[in-house]
Amino acid sequence: MTPIDCALIALFVPLAAAFAIAVLAPLRHAGRPAAWLSVAAALISLGASLVLLAQQWSQPERVVREVVRWLPSGAASLAQVGIHLDGVSVSMSVVVTLVAACVQIFSLGYMADEPPAARGRYFGYHSFFIFSMLLLVIAPNLLQLFAGWELVGLTSYLLIGFYFQKPSAAKASVKAIWVTKFADMGLLLGLICLFAVSGGFEWTATLSEAWATTITLLLFLAVVGKSAQFPLHIWLPNAMEGPTPVSALLHAATMVAAGVYLAVRADPLFAQAPNTQMVMAWLGGFTALFAAVLATVQTDIKRVLAYSTCSQLGYMVCALGAGSAIAGYFHLTTHAFFKALLFLAAGSVIHAVHSNELSSMGGLARRMKLTSAVFIIGALALAGIPGLAGFFSKDLILESVYEADLLVPWAMLILAAFLTAFYMGRVIFLALFGPFSEASEGAIESGFSMAGPLLLLAAGSLGIGYFGAQFALLSGGSYHFHVGMSGMLGTACAVAGLLLSWLIYGARRLTPQAFRFLAPVGRLAESGLVDRFFEFAYRRGALALSDAVGFFDRYVVDGVMNCIGWTTIVSGRRLRGSETGNVRDYVFAVVAGAVVIAFWGLAR
Amino acid sequence: MTVQALLLLTSALFCMGIYGLLARRNAIALLLSAELMINAVTINLVTFSRLAGGVTGQVFAVFTIALTVAEVVVGLAIVILLFRWRREIAVDSANELRH
C-alpha cells in the first residue's frame, strides 16, 4: 500500500463509521453495535497510522504530498486540499488515533450504563472526531487545517454538551464554542491576510516582517483559544461537564493540542516574527504558572486535571515561543499519553465512587490497585520525575527556554514545575491514600475494557520519553539528552513539590493552615476574575455596541423607510377625497383643463 | 351668412352642450348635450371647409355624423343597461368606482 492509501484509510474509515451511525437510526439506537463499529473504525485507523509511522521511522526525512485543486478560478486554483505526510503529521496522527482508540475502548465500559441511543450518539461523535482531527493533522496547507480545526471545535461542542439535559453541561458547551469561535476569528483573519500577501495558504511562505508579525499574532489568537491559554482558558474547566473519556481525548490529549500543533506546523511563519515569539513565550510561561496556581485549590478531580492541562499547554506554547518547535512538539506527544492516562484513571475512579469530589474519595489504593498504580505513574510523569515521559520533554523545554535567554518565563516554568508536582501529590494523597470516605469504602476495580487502555497508556507514559531523539529526527531536528542545570533545577522543584504535598496531605505533619498567608492567592483563584472580566466586556462592550447598532438600524435606517411609507399613505388618504366617483365632476375637470390649456395657449 | 356668424353659432351650441353636461343628472340629457357639442364641431368643420374651398371638409363632416350615430347607439345601450340594473338613470347614483 502506498502512503497515500494508508492515509486515506485512516481518514475515511472513521468518517464512514460516523456516517453510518448518523444515518442508520436503528444502528444508532441499538447502542452496542454502533460502539463496536466505531471502535473497529478507530482500530483500523490506528493500524493505518502505525503502518505510516513504520515507513516514516526508517526514512525520517520523507515527505509525501498529494494535493488536488480546490476552488478553481480560471486556469489556476485558489486553494488545494490533500494529504501531507511528514514526520510531524505522521507521528501526530499515531498519537491521535492511539489515544482515540484507547479512549473508545475505555468508553465501552465507562458508558455501559447509558441508554443505548445515547451510546450510539456518543460513539458516532467519537468516530467523527477522529476524521476531523486527522483532516487537521495531515492538511497540506493552512486552509484545510482550518476546516479540520472548525470540525474538531464542533465535535468538542457536541461532546461537552453530551448530557444536554443538564443545564450546566448545555451552558458549558455554549461557552466553549463562544470562546473558541472568538479566537478562531484570528485564524480566519490570519488566513485572509496570508492569502492577500502571499497568494496562498502555505506555511512555508516568506513574508515581510510587519506582515509576518501581524499574521502570526492572528494565528496565535486562535492558538490561545484552542489551547486554552490565558485569558481564553476559561472554557476548559467548564468543558469537564462532558463525560470523562471525552475530557481525556478532546480536552487533554488531542483537540486542545491542535493549537500547539498549528504553531508547530506554522513554525516557518512564526520563525519570521520574533515579536510574536516573545509574546508566546511570556504568555505561555504565565499560563503555566497561573493555571498551576488555580489547580492547587480545586476540589474536583477533573478540574485539577483541566487546569493542569492549561498549565502544560502553557509549557508547550512557551517552548514554541523560545523557537524550539521540537521541545513543544515532544511535550505535546508525551503529554497526550500521560494526561489521557490520568483522565481515564480519574474516570475509572469517578465510575467507582460516582462523584468528582476529592472529599468523597480516599483510600482507593487499597480498593482499586491497578487504577491507583497507573494514576500514580501518570501523575509522576506529569510532575516530571526522572525516567518518566514528562521528565524528558519538560527538561528539553526548560533547557531551550533558558537558552533563548527568556529568564522570566523560565522562572515561571520552574515555579510551575514545583506547583505541578504539588497539586498532583495532593490529588494522590487525598484520593488514593488516607482514610476511606463513605463512597470509596465500597469502590471496586473497573472491568477489562477500562483496564486495558489504562495499561497501554501507562506503558506509553513510562516509555515514550526515551524516543526523544527519534521524535526530533521526525520533526527535522536533533536531540540528545544531557543533564543540564535547568533540568536539574526543575526536577529538584518537582521532588520538593511532591515532598511538600506529602507533608501536608500524606503524613499530615503540616496543616494547610500553615499556608494561611497564601489565602489571598487562593481566593483570587476561586473568584473567577477572568470570567467576570469577560462578562463585563461582553455586557459593557459587545452588548453596548450592538445596542448602538440596533438603535441606528431601528431609528435611522428603518426611520427613513417608515417615513417614506407613512408619507405615501397619508397623501393617498388626503387625495382620496378628490375622487368623488361622480361623472359630472370628471367632466368639470376635463372642461376646466381645456379652458386652462386654452388660456395658456392664448397667453403664449 | 358670414363665417363670423357661423362661428358665433357653433360657440353658442358648444357652450350649451358644456352647460348641459355639467348641470344635468339624467344620462339621456347628458348624451343630448354631448351631441350638441359634436354638432357644433361638425358645423365648424363645414364652415372652414367652405372658407378653404373644396369638398374634403364636407365629406369628413358626413363621416363625423355617421360616427356620432354609432356613439349614440353605444351610449344609449349603456343607459338601458344602467336602467335595468338600478331602475333609474341619474348618473349620480352610479358612483361604484369610488368605493
Side-chain angles (χ1 to χ4, degrees), chain A residues 61-77:
Chain A
E61 304 291 327
R62 187 182 72 167
V63 176
V64 182
R65 194 182 167 93
E66 183 81 38
V67 292
V68 291
R69 279 171 48 183
W70 191 34
L71 306 176
S73 75
S77 58

Side-chain angles (χ1 to χ4, degrees), chain A residues 236 240 244 251-252 295 298 300-312 335 338-339 341-347 375 382 423-424 427:
Chain A
L236 192 59
M240 297 301 128
T244 310
H251 306 119
Q298 303 300 319
D300 178 330
I301 186 167
K302 284 181 74 181
R303 278 179 173 253
V304 176
L305 294 177
Y307 279 114
S308 148
T309 304
C310 285
S311 170
Q312 297 304 308
H335 175 256
F338 59 69
K339 191 48 74 63
L341 171 65
L342 281 171
F343 261 108
L344 291 186
F375 191 91
L382 171 60
Y423 65 68
M424 283 326 290
V427 171

Side-chain angles (χ1 to χ4, degrees), chain A residues 576-577 579-584 587-588 591, chain B residues 18 21-25 91-92 94-95 98:
Chain A
R576 204 167 80 179
E579 298 295 311
T580 57
N582 206 331
V583 178
R584 285 180 306 168
V587 173
F588 178 74
V591 172
Chain B
I18 287 178
L21 270 184
L22 292 178
R24 305 297 298 265
R25 297 173 60 216
V91 286
D92 295 14
N95 58 357
R98 187 187 177 193

Side-chain angles (χ1 to χ4, degrees), chain B:
Chain B
M1 286 210 282
T2 62
V3 173
Q4 195 177 23
L6 281 170
L7 288 182
L8 279 174
L9 170 70
T10 54
S11 302
L13 278 175
F14 194 80
C15 289
M16 283 184 207
I18 287 178
Y19 173 77
L21 270 184
L22 292 178
R24 305 297 298 265
R25 297 173 60 216
N26 191 314
I28 293 179
L30 291 185
L31 275 177
L32 289 175
S33 308
E35 281 304 303
L36 272 181
M37 290 163 72
I38 291 169
N39 282 332
V41 174
T42 315
I43 294 170
N44 255 5
L45 201 59
V46 178
T47 309
F48 287 119
S49 150
R50 268 188 63 186
L51 194 65
V55 293
T56 320
Q58 299 185 27
V59 172
F60 268 99
V62 176
F63 265 118
T64 317
I65 291 166
L67 282 175
T68 313
V69 172
E71 179 239 304
V72 169
V73 168
V74 175
L76 281 176
I78 292 173
V79 171
I80 288 166
L81 283 177
L82 189 66
F83 181 76
R84 279 193 190 155
W85 179 37
R86 311 191 67 97
R87 292 277 132 199
E88 60 169 347
I89 51 174
V91 286
D92 295 14
S93 64
N95 58 357
E96 270 76 14
L97 275 181
R98 187 187 177 193
H99 305 298

Side-chain angles (χ1 to χ4, degrees), chain A residues 112-462:
Chain A
D113 303 336
E114 296 290 319
R119 255 189 300 165
R121 187 160 58 89
Y122 175 84
F123 280 97
Y125 291 158
H126 264 288
S127 281
F128 188 67
F129 170 74
I130 297 180
F131 164 73
S132 319
M133 191 71 197
L134 286 181
L135 188 72
L136 184 162
V137 169
I138 62 175
N141 54 36
L142 291 176
L143 189 66
Q144 185 181 332
L145 189 145
F146 180 57
W149 182 278
E150 290 301 324
L151 286 180
V152 292
L154 172 70
T155 36
S156 163
Y157 165 77
L158 291 171
L159 283 168
I160 294 170
F162 180 72
Y163 300 118
F164 57 83
Q165 304 89 337
K166 241 169 66 180
S168 60
K171 274 186 194 160
S173 62
V174 172
K175 183 173 176 184
I177 204 154
W178 268 61
V179 175
T180 49
K181 279 323 101 169
F182 170 73
D184 291 352
M185 235 163 46
L187 184 50
L188 188 58
L189 289 176
L191 285 184
I192 292 171
C193 291
L194 183 64
F195 186 76
V197 178
S198 76
F201 299 101
E202 305 298 321
W203 53 70
T204 48
T206 317
L207 306 167
S208 69
E209 182 161 351
W211 273 115
T213 308
T214 316
I215 289 170
T216 49
L217 275 178
L218 286 168
L219 295 186
F220 182 55
L221 175 62
V223 174
V224 168
K226 194 64 120 196
S227 288
Q229 297 296 291
F230 180 85
L232 296 181
H233 64 279
I234 49 171
W235 67 274
L236 192 59
N238 291 78
M240 297 301 128
E241 291 291 343
T244 310
V246 168
S247 310
L249 178 60
L250 272 71
H251 306 119
T254 56
M255 190 204 77
V256 289
V260 177
Y261 184 76
L262 167 66
V264 172
R265 271 275 89 135
D267 191 50
L269 291 180
F270 281 94
Q272 298 171 39
N275 293 333
T276 311
Q277 289 192 318
M278 191 62 86
V279 174
M280 285 172 82
W282 279 78
L283 198 68
F286 179 71
T287 307
L289 181 58
F290 174 78
V293 171
L294 291 183
T296 56
V297 292
Q298 303 300 319
T299 57
D300 178 330
I301 186 167
K302 284 181 74 181
R303 278 179 173 253
V304 176
L305 294 177
Y307 279 114
S308 148
T309 304
C310 285
S311 170
Q312 297 304 308
L313 290 167
Y315 270 93
M316 300 175 207
V317 169
C318 186
L320 288 162
S324 175
I326 294 172
Y329 184 58
F330 189 27
H331 197 55
L332 191 169
T333 314
T334 56
H335 175 256
F337 279 96
F338 59 69
K339 191 48 74 63
L341 171 65
L342 281 171
F343 261 108
L344 291 186
S348 177
V349 167
I350 291 166
H351 195 65
V353 303
H354 301 291
S355 166
N356 288 4
E357 290 299 315
L358 285 171
S359 56
S360 52
M361 300 167 187
L364 288 171
R366 274 164 283 164
R367 288 281 183 273
M368 308 173 73
K369 291 206 168 52
L370 176 79
T371 303
S372 303
V374 296
F375 191 91
I376 291 171
I377 290 174
L380 293 183
L382 171 60
I385 297 304
L388 290 131
F391 166 70
F392 293 100
S393 50
K394 203 175 275 189
D395 172 70
L396 182 59
I397 288 179
L398 290 172
E399 197 75 41
S400 50
V401 172
Y402 185 73
E403 276 168 15
D405 280 332
L406 296 159
L407 283 183
V408 179
W410 178 80
M412 290 196 278
L413 291 188
I414 292 282
L415 206 55
F418 171 76
L419 288 170
T420 306
F422 176 74
Y423 65 68
M424 283 326 290
R426 173 171 171 262
V427 171
I428 289 176
F429 291 119
L430 283 181
L432 305 183
F433 298 104
F436 286 115
S437 74
E438 272 177 42
S440 63
E441 182 79 59
I444 47 166
E445 184 61 274
S446 309
F448 178 73
S449 87
M450 288 161 82
L454 289 178
L455 286 173
L456 187 61
L457 289 170
S461 304
L462 284 171

